[in-house]
Amino acid sequence: MSYAIMPFKIRLDALNEVLALRDEALFAWLRDRCRAELADLDDWSDTERPAREFLADLVLGRIPVERSVHLYGYCVKALCELWGAHLANEGWWGMRYGWFGTVSEAVARAGVKYDFTDLIIGGPGVDCPAPDDFPLMGHITRDRLQSHLDRLGGIDLAKVDDRQVVEAVEQVKSWLLECRRDDMDLVCFYH
């Protein structure tokens, strides 16, 4: 089985403001807009509680349940798909978790310490229970984009002999650059 990073550019402050509204009409609109994603979650999820209830917990500020909490992460991903824009991820598609270490080690040999798992650790930047399973979630806020770009800009990619690693590094840099250009935050999901 292979996995992927699904990166999004999004304004986390705007998404957090929407979630803080605790509005029933907004929830009904979101439920309708996310109908396909919620149906997919219900199809493959091993829970009797429908995915729309997890979305309702997030949007209406209800106390989260303690079972199947990974569905909260997938609901946040659906919100990112709705409010944000998906970024190209060819360099991070069809890979296993070990790929993060491969890329991080190659970059370290080229002179820069950068842990690519940071992209998927730390949560999505909104109030959401930590998943008990996939998706792994991480974010980089707008005010931190440049520091990541500075670190990645210090890599001498000529010293990296694996073309796939070079492409993966360049792709992460492209996410950061696009988010900086559009004054957006970066949110990544891994599953």
Side-chain angles (χ1 to χ4, degrees), residues 115-182:
D115 185 353
F116 286 86
T117 60
D118 287 347
L119 295 168
I120 58 165
I121 303 297
V126 299
D127 189 19
C128 172
D132 54 354
D133 197 352
F134 288 112
L136 299 178
M137 303 175 285
H139 70 282
I140 300 173
T141 57
R142 294 183 313 280
D143 62 328
R144 304 266 310 134
L145 294 169
Q146 190 59 52
S147 67
H148 285 263
L149 282 165
D150 291 345
R151 287 173 42 214
L152 291 175
I155 302 168
D156 182 358
L157 291 175
K159 293 182 179 178
V160 178
D161 58 359
D162 184 331
R163 187 71 205 139
Q164 289 179 311
V165 169
V166 170
E167 290 170 2
V169 171
E170 291 292 349
Q171 188 149 64
V172 170
K173 287 168 58 175
S174 75
W175 299 341
L176 298 166
L177 287 166
E178 189 169 339
C179 287
R180 185 184 67 184
R181 180 196 71 210
D182 296 341

Side-chain angles (χ1 to χ4, degrees), residues 47-69:
T47 182
E48 293 178 14
R49 188 173 194 243
R52 72 177 176 275
E53 291 300 315
F54 291 86
L55 181 64
D57 293 347
L58 290 172
V59 175
L60 300 176
R62 299 187 320 202
I63 296 172
V65 297
E66 294 182 16
R67 294 189 62 200
S68 302
V69 295

Side-chain angles (χ1 to χ4, degrees), residues 33 37 43 51 63 74 83 100 102 105 113 117 157 182:
R33 292 295 302 251
E37 293 89 347
D43 286 345
I63 296 172
Y74 288 108
W83 259 280
F100 292 99
T102 299
E105 290 167 14
K113 184 177 181 195
T117 60
L157 291 175
D182 296 341

